Amino acid sequence: MVITTAVDSAEHVNCTFASRYVRTPVPRFKMPEMSMPKDAAYQVINDELMLDGNPRLNLASFVTTWMEPECNDLIMASINKNYVDMDEYPVTTELQNRCVNMIANLYHAPVGDDETAVGVGTVGSSEAIMLAGLAFKRKWQNKRKAEGKPYDKPNIVTGANVQVCWEKFARYFEVELKEVKLTEGYYVMDPVKAAEMVDENTICVAAILGSTLTGEFEDVKLLNELLTKKNKETGWDTPIHVDAASGGFIAPFLYPDLEWDFRLPLVKSINVSGHKYGLVYAGVGWAIWRTKEDLPEELIFHINYLGADQPTFTLNFSKGSSQIIAQYYQFIRLGFEGYKNVVENCMENTRVLREGIERTGKFDIVSKDVGVPLVAFSLKDSSQFTVFEISKHLRKYGWIVPAYTMPPNAEQVAVLRVVIREDFSRSLVERLISHIEEVLKELQTLPDLVAAKAAHVSATVDKALESHEGVKRVKRSVRETQEEITSIWRRFVDGKRTGVC
């Protein structure tokens, strides 16, 4: 005989789905007066999160969505460590320094075998760009002050295809952003035009290794040659920063002979996102400087109230250690060979997807073969439906595929973009292609069906009206009805836009 205790009974009665907590609204604007059991709080939140999209089907994002279980364990074991407390967590600090040196050597920084590279772990490339930009601004200001020249109107030259974090830097730190406009068919910064826009107030030219829009690498080598010539003619020393957020863990493994990094003398700093093709969960980035002279000492703070003297150059103070540890895990786990294999697999799946999209006969491929593993493509004919409608219809299969217009002066071009990450397998590529084909069939068929029904209703009404004496009605063709419906439909869909990540 089983004896049921009062405690057992209470636990049964109070299990989450038999409790009051699933009958009352979840607090949204005010902290609740009373506590709730931990299992109820977990279940309520977990149930709401089920309505989020599946991260692995989010093809808008470059950010890593899968890591090995062993690395997940390391992340959870260190999630309560505050990285900034270097005296308390010296091993974590050492692992960060190792990562900085590994990346600096990968980018051919002029660092000896026994020397320490100059760099820092950041919260993604956004913070890394802010720090690099501040270093350029301060060096330019100091030089102008020493020469007795005005130093209140700094500017940065970039392409109009830069990520929004560059606009943030310019606005937050009062630097003019001079953008090289794009043209249809050429969606990256033109080095010739960029060099022409440089003036005595330019603190740096920012080149992108892996454009967010198309994945294309900008020609940093040509930019270096053009600026070297201009600097010699003018007496300026305009440097280059390379935003390698997406391509910094692609180019060294796929295109080792491509010169874009510290092999070029004017490249003074590089940022890269560890949480993109560095294969670490969000958010970790890295800022690497060519030499100590390229990072002004006055920007580095020294604190001692956490223990020993600790130099720091970050925008935020507290920061988790997990992503730093995860980055080091990936470096020693995969090594050069492993990263090369991963990105080669990504590029092969990119090729398969591109060919599948081309076979539909409906799209033009906008992205290039050399660059970040992604496929950006536009409709050859947008008269019947748009890329925004395709994006919307793909969501019913679970896919998040962004649709967006290009920046000025190419905003008339609208594209879809699929990012291929490590966990996007060949079978998923084939499934996506089949779903794109299904969506195309639906979008091509639906307006005709709606128009035919509308024409049938219209004809019925016409017939009824004409049966009344003296009433005449002008009939519309099926084609005219279809055009009207399509026009209404497109106006509705055009009001919706999917952002670029």
Side-chain angles (χ1 to χ4, degrees):
M1 182 176 70
V2 178
I3 300 176
T4 302
T5 65
V7 174
D8 292 334
S9 177
E11 287 180 350
H12 174 72
V13 170
N14 291 320
C15 72
T16 302
F17 290 115
S19 69
R20 66 181 179 85
Y21 302 106
V22 297
R23 299 196 302 268
T24 56
V26 177
R28 287 180 172 83
F29 306 111
K30 292 183 178 180
M31 186 180 293
E33 293 294 329
M34 305 297 294
S35 303
M36 70 168 63
K38 60 177 184 276
D39 56 341
Y42 169 84
Q43 194 66 58
V44 166
I45 296 172
N46 186 67
D47 288 353
E48 283 207 75
L49 289 174
M50 290 193 301
L51 299 175
D52 264 349
N54 184 337
R56 290 186 59 187
L57 297 183
N58 180 7
L59 307 182
S61 178
F62 293 85
V63 177
T64 297
T65 51
W66 178 87
M67 295 189 76
E68 292 177 326
E70 291 79 7
C71 193
N72 291 339
D73 292 343
L74 285 172
I75 288 173
M76 293 309 300
S78 58
I79 203 165
N80 59 348
K81 291 182 180 179
N82 185 4
Y83 163 73
V84 75
D85 195 346
M86 301 177 187
D87 189 55
E88 184 68 23
Y89 307 118
V91 176
T92 300
T93 301
E94 170 64 18
L95 297 187
Q96 186 226 218
N97 294 338
R98 293 179 191 177
C99 288
V100 166
N101 278 272
M102 289 180 181
I103 297 171
N105 278 281
L106 192 65
Y107 297 163
H108 301 93
V111 179
D113 292 338
D114 298 327
E115 292 182 298
T116 301
V118 182
V120 65
T122 60
V123 184
S125 275
S126 293
E127 184 187 8
I129 285 169
M130 302 284 175
L131 298 179
L134 284 172
F136 282 119
K137 182 181 178 181
R138 187 56 58 89
K139 278 184 68 69
W140 175 83
Q141 287 178 326
N142 289 344
K143 184 174 184 292
R144 298 283 289 183
K145 289 177 184 178
E147 296 172 345
K149 297 178 180 178
Y151 54 90
D152 59 336
K153 294 182 179 180
N155 68 67
I156 285 181
V157 175
T158 70
N161 55 312
V162 291
Q163 218 266 358
V164 69
C165 59
W166 284 98
E167 298 179 34
K168 288 182 178 179
F169 168 77
R171 190 178 303 179
Y172 295 167
F173 296 102
E174 298 180 323
V175 175
E176 179 189 2
L177 194 66
K178 299 173 68 173
E179 295 184 343
V180 178
K181 302 303 181 184
L182 309 184
T183 58
E184 187 170 346
Y186 193 83
Y187 304 115
V188 292
M189 180 181 69
D190 184 339
V192 175
K193 293 180 180 178
E196 290 173 352
M197 294 178 69
V198 168
D199 59 32
E200 62 179 352
N201 293 322
T202 302
I203 64 175
C204 78
V205 178
I208 305 177
L209 195 78
S211 171
T212 298
L213 303 176
T214 63
E216 190 174 351
F217 295 163
E218 293 182 343
D219 194 340
V220 187
K221 184 176 182 180
L222 176 57
L223 179 64
N224 181 83
E225 293 171 357
L226 294 170
L227 285 180
T228 299
K229 181 180 179 181
K230 187 162 187 173
N231 286 344
K232 187 176 181 180
E233 293 172 350
T234 60
W236 304 335
D237 55 358
T238 307
I240 297 173
H241 174 86
V242 179
D243 180 355
S246 299
F249 285 117
I250 299 293
F253 307 106
L254 290 185
Y255 318 108
D257 296 329
L258 181 67
E259 294 183 35
W260 63 272
D261 52 18
F262 293 121
R263 284 171 288 185
L264 303 175
L266 291 183
V267 174
K268 302 300 183 182
S269 56
I270 299 172
N271 70 275
V272 64
S273 291
H275 61 223
K276 292 184 179 177
Y277 291 98
L279 308 180
V280 176
Y281 294 141
V284 60
W286 301 92
I288 310 293
W289 283 268
R290 184 184 191 86
T291 65
K292 291 180 180 179
E293 289 70 31
D294 296 308
L295 176 58
E297 175 66 28
E298 64 206 81
L299 293 178
I300 300 174
F301 287 83
H302 295 266
I303 59 173
N304 61 12
Y305 51 81
L306 292 176
D309 177 69
Q310 299 172 10
T312 177
F313 180 37
T314 57
L315 294 181
N316 63 306
F317 191 69
S318 297
K319 179 170 59 178
S321 299
S322 299
Q323 276 72 22
I324 299 291
I325 294 168
Q327 185 74 84
Y328 185 66
Y329 171 89
Q330 293 290 54
F331 283 171
I332 65 170
R333 163 77 175 94
L334 296 174
F336 191 95
E337 177 189 28
Y339 271 93
K340 188 173 187 291
N341 289 338
V342 168
V343 295
E344 283 180 342
N345 287 343
C346 290
M347 292 305 290
E348 175 61 18
N349 285 330
T350 300
R351 181 190 63 79
V352 173
L353 177 61
R354 182 175 62 249
E355 291 176 354
I357 291 170
E358 287 176 327
R359 282 197 303 271
T360 67
K362 298 293 183 182
F363 300 101
D364 290 319
I365 303 299
V366 175
S367 50
K368 306 298 182 183
D369 292 339
V370 175
V372 176
L374 63 80
V375 183
F377 50 105
S378 61
L379 275 168
K380 292 181 177 179
D381 180 8
S382 299
S383 62
Q384 194 173 6
F385 49 84
T386 69
V387 292
F388 302 100
E389 294 167 72
I390 295 173
S391 175
K392 179 182 177 183
H393 278 69
L394 282 171
R395 282 180 178 265
K396 72 180 181 182
Y397 295 103
W399 303 108
I400 301 173
V401 178
Y404 52 89
T405 56
M406 291 294 187
N409 291 335
E411 57 269 84
Q412 68 276 14
V413 179
V415 302
L416 293 155
R417 189 198 65 199
V418 175
V419 176
I420 307 297
R421 298 189 301 272
E422 177 188 13
D423 56 352
F424 194 55
S425 65
R426 174 68 172 268
S427 60
L428 288 177
V429 170
E430 293 172 347
R431 184 58 63 107
L432 175 60
I433 293 171
S434 68
H435 287 161
I436 290 174
E437 292 171 343
E438 288 296 321
V439 167
L440 290 174
K441 290 178 183 177
E442 293 171 10
L443 291 174
Q444 291 172 62
T445 304
L446 186 58
D448 289 332
L449 290 175
V450 173
K453 285 188 176 183
H456 175 71
V457 172
S458 179
T460 302
V461 172
D462 286 342
K463 186 175 181 180
L465 288 173
E466 288 173 0
S467 66
H468 294 277
E469 185 177 355
V471 176
K472 297 292 183 182
R473 182 180 176 92
V474 178
K475 295 183 179 180
R476 292 181 299 175
S477 68
V478 172
R479 180 61 182 173
E480 290 172 331
T481 306
Q482 179 182 344
E483 288 177 349
E484 181 181 348
I485 294 170
T486 303
S487 176
I488 295 171
W489 186 18
R490 289 187 64 190
R491 285 200 301 272
F492 171 75
V493 176
D494 284 346
K496 300 179 180 294
R497 291 291 184 271
T498 304
V500 180
C501 178

